[in-house]
């Protein structure tokens, strides 16, 4: 696989979405962020130079993220230079719930608009559903109706771009049949899933890689191949993984609550991973545990999804 730079997909430190808007190549992820979320967001923006922050209503920290964003803007960062992403949770995947849910997110973030709003997972859950859900707790998902409401958010100026997370090729193809505004995509690099990645490239859909350093199941920074290349390039394993994602053609949203790591993670410009090493990183065996969604959605005894293959439309 040729690097993204060789294919002309990277413009300095950002990517251009199909809408024409630019997305910073590196953003701050806030999944499982702690009580210091506001500080981390402010530090990332005002001290480390981040201009992209990724969050979600389901994380339960949007008010904290909003405090960090407000502090950064009060420190002199203009809103128009920030790119803020949030997500619509599964219990709100009903057309009539989309506008009020987005407005609540904007209130918590203390913003007038989002730069990107994503469908968090392509499954509608009953209010109060167990995690993983039991039989009867995954409801019919009006994908087309929800997407129309997402498109209306763009028309109303409340959102600049819309997209999806964790979609399969099957679900993406279904969405594209009725979408007037094509989606952006967010996915996990620890399960490279070249099938959906290649499908996105053919459709001109930009992909963002979340949790680029791996997960609790598999810390990619400790992979021997990553460590060897990091030593060779005199970079940290985290920097190598972030740079690999960018060279592959994806933006990336590493998470950290440590100031020094936040600053380190964005120091990935002005150097390249050599082609030989890039290919070696691409050859690391996928670990589907990092993105099977088992913890959230697979209930092996009660269903409705009794395996990762069922959950992922047998794409994996």
């Amino acid at each position: 696989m040729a690097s993204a730079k060789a294919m002309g997909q990277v413009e300095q430190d950002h990517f251009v979405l199909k809408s024409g808007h630019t997305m910073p190549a590196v953003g701050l992820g806030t999944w499982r962020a702690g009580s210091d979320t506001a500080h981390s967001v402010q530090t990332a923006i005002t001290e480390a130079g981040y201009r992209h922050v990724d969050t979600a209503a389901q994380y339960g920290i949007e008010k904290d993220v909003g405090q960090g964003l407000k502090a950064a803007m009060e420190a002199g960062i203009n809103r128009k230079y920030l790119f803020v992403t949030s997500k619509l949770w599964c219990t709100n995947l009903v057309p009539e719930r989309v506008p009020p849910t987005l407005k609540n997110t904007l209130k918590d973030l203390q913003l007038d608009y989002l730069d990107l709003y994503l469908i968090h997972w392509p499954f509608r859950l009953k209010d109060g559903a167990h995690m993983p859900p039991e039989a009867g707790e995954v409801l019919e998902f009006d994908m087309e109706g929800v997407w129309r409401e997402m498109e209306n958010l763009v028309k109303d100026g409340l959102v600049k771009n819309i997209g999806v997370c964790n979609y399969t090729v099957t679900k993406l193809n279904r969405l594209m049949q009725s979408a007037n505004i094509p989606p952006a995509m967010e996915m996990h690099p620890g399960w490279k899933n070249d099938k959906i990645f290649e499908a996105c490239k053919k459709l001109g859909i930009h992909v963002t890689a979340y949790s680029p350093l791996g997960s609790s199941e598999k810390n990619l920074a400790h992979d021997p191949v990553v460590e060897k290349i990091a030593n060779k390039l005199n970079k940290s394993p985290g920097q190598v993984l972030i740079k690999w994602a960018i060279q592959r053609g994806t933006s990336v949203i590493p998470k950290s609550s440590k100031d020094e790591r936040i600053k380190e993670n964005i120091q990935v410009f002005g150097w390249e991973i050599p082609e030989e090493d890039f290919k070696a990183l691409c050859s690391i065996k996928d670990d589907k545990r990092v993105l099977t969604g088992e913890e959230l959605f697979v209930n092996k005894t009660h269903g409705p999804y009794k395996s990762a293959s069922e959950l992922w439309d047998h794409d994996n």
Side-chain angles (χ1 to χ4, degrees):
M1 180 187 295
S3 71
K5 185 181 181 184
M7 295 185 288
Q9 292 180 327
V10 178
E11 286 190 43
Q12 299 177 358
D13 60 352
H14 65 270
F15 291 89
V16 179
L17 303 179
K18 208 160 187 176
S19 64
H21 296 121
T22 58
M23 172 187 278
V26 179
L28 179 72
T30 60
W31 178 57
R32 290 184 175 174
S35 58
D36 52 356
T37 297
H39 169 79
S40 295
V41 170
Q42 181 182 1
T43 297
I45 296 171
T46 60
E47 297 184 27
Y50 286 72
R51 293 297 179 265
H52 180 191
V53 176
D54 180 283
T55 191
Q58 182 64 11
Y59 301 164
I61 55 165
E62 285 191 321
K63 289 184 178 180
D64 297 314
V65 172
Q67 291 173 6
L69 291 170
K70 181 181 179 182
M73 287 185 280
E74 288 177 344
I77 304 299
N78 194 308
R79 169 67 180 98
K80 69 179 181 179
Y81 297 124
L82 297 176
F83 192 102
V84 182
T85 298
S86 191
K87 307 175 189 76
L88 178 68
W89 183 241
C90 305
T91 51
N92 293 315
L93 290 182
V94 186
E96 59 268 23
R97 288 193 180 188
V98 174
T101 302
L102 180 274
K103 289 176 181 177
N104 190 60
T105 279
L106 291 176
K107 179 181 177 181
D108 287 344
L109 292 175
Q110 302 184 59
L111 298 175
D112 295 324
Y113 67 90
L114 285 181
D115 297 274
L116 178 60
Y117 198 37
L118 302 168
I119 293 174
H120 206 151
W121 284 86
F123 310 104
R124 180 189 164 198
L125 295 181
K126 181 179 180 180
D127 289 331
H130 296 82
M131 300 301 288
E134 298 184 356
E137 293 184 340
V138 175
L139 307 176
E140 182 178 355
F141 173 26
D142 179 5
M143 184 186 297
E144 292 77 12
V146 168
W147 192 252
R148 282 194 298 271
E149 288 301 319
M150 299 278 281
E151 291 179 330
N152 286 335
L153 298 177
V154 177
K155 294 175 184 176
D156 292 340
L158 297 173
V159 173
K160 288 190 174 182
N161 300 276
I162 51 178
V164 298
C165 301
N166 306 309
Y167 263 50
T168 60
V169 173
T170 299
K171 289 183 173 68
L172 184 61
N173 285 338
R174 174 184 164 185
L175 177 62
M176 291 299 291
Q177 289 177 4
S178 63
N180 293 311
I181 299 176
M185 168 74 85
E186 189 166 296
M187 59 183 278
H188 196 301
W191 176 34
K192 294 187 288 293
N193 197 351
D194 288 329
K195 187 175 180 180
I196 186 68
F197 186 57
E198 291 302 319
C200 286
K201 285 205 296 185
K202 288 180 181 178
L203 293 168
I205 294 172
H206 178 67
V207 173
T208 297
Y210 68 83
S211 297
L213 310 186
S215 67
S216 57
E217 290 85 0
K218 181 178 181 180
N219 189 330
L220 296 173
H222 293 156
D223 186 279
V225 174
V226 176
E227 291 181 334
K228 180 180 178 181
I229 293 172
N231 289 332
K232 173 184 174 181
L233 300 179
N234 195 29
K235 302 295 180 182
S236 72
Q239 288 173 324
V240 167
L241 287 165
I242 292 166
K243 187 66 174 184
W244 171 80
I246 295 171
Q247 284 187 218
R248 192 182 185 218
T250 69
S251 48
V252 63
I253 45 173
K255 181 197 79 72
S256 181
S257 58
K258 298 179 179 179
D259 289 1
E260 63 273 16
R261 189 63 55 81
I262 289 172
K263 295 173 183 178
E264 176 186 280
N265 284 343
I266 202 171
Q267 300 302 313
V268 292
F269 304 106
W271 57 278
E272 298 290 329
I273 298 174
E275 195 68 23
E276 178 182 6
D277 297 324
F278 178 84
K279 290 179 179 178
L281 292 167
C282 289
S283 69
I284 293 176
K285 183 179 174 68
D286 282 344
D287 188 340
K288 296 188 178 93
R289 290 177 301 167
V290 301
L291 189 62
T292 58
E294 286 196 40
E295 179 183 350
L296 293 177
F297 295 104
V298 174
N299 189 324
K300 295 180 180 180
T301 56
H302 299 98
Y305 300 108
K306 295 184 178 180
S307 71
S309 290
E310 287 183 15
L311 187 73
W312 290 96
D313 297 331
H314 302 284
D315 271 5
N316 57 349

